Amino acid sequence: MTESERQLERRLERTILELLGRRGPDATICPSDAARAAYTGDDDGWRDLMEPARRAARRLVGAGEVQITQGGRPVDPATARGPIRIRRPLRR
């Protein structure tokens, strides 16, 4: 991974956490929300950031910062296929 790719993925991690921080404690976001927010252009180039956003979310899962969910339930990011949502871990 190049330095610019690392910087992009760190920016996506920060963006995910910032977006979740602006929402309620049980709220979720889509990786596309982070991709759109991090993209600096005004076209649909944000789509190229979708996989980097998913990777950033997986790293944040590993750090215990977020959960990846499908159907409202936490899933293993390594095996999740299809649409996912990102949320802060639920505090009980």
Side-chain angles (χ1 to χ4, degrees):
M1 181 179 292
T2 68
E3 182 58 29
S4 64
E5 289 170 330
R6 278 191 289 278
Q7 289 176 357
L8 169 64
E9 292 200 4
R10 284 193 296 267
R11 187 169 82 231
L12 285 163
E13 289 173 3
R14 287 190 307 272
T15 300
I16 289 168
L17 295 174
E18 288 169 7
L19 289 171
L20 288 171
R22 293 183 207 145
R23 298 198 166 123
D26 297 335
T28 65
I29 63 167
C30 178
S32 66
D33 297 327
R36 284 183 176 102
Y39 184 62
T40 57
D42 58 2
D43 57 12
D44 67 351
W46 62 268
R47 293 178 188 278
D48 292 336
L49 300 183
M50 284 297 295
E51 187 51 37
R54 290 172 69 100
R55 284 194 304 267
R58 288 192 293 268
R59 277 192 310 283
L60 290 170
V61 167
E65 298 278 341
V66 302
Q67 292 177 324
I68 289 178
T69 65
Q70 289 183 312
R73 294 188 177 93
V75 294
D76 180 348
T79 60
R81 298 290 176 259
I84 62 169
R85 303 289 295 177
I86 306 164
R87 72 177 181 202
R88 281 179 254 140
L90 297 179
R91 308 284 184 222
R92 303 264 180 219

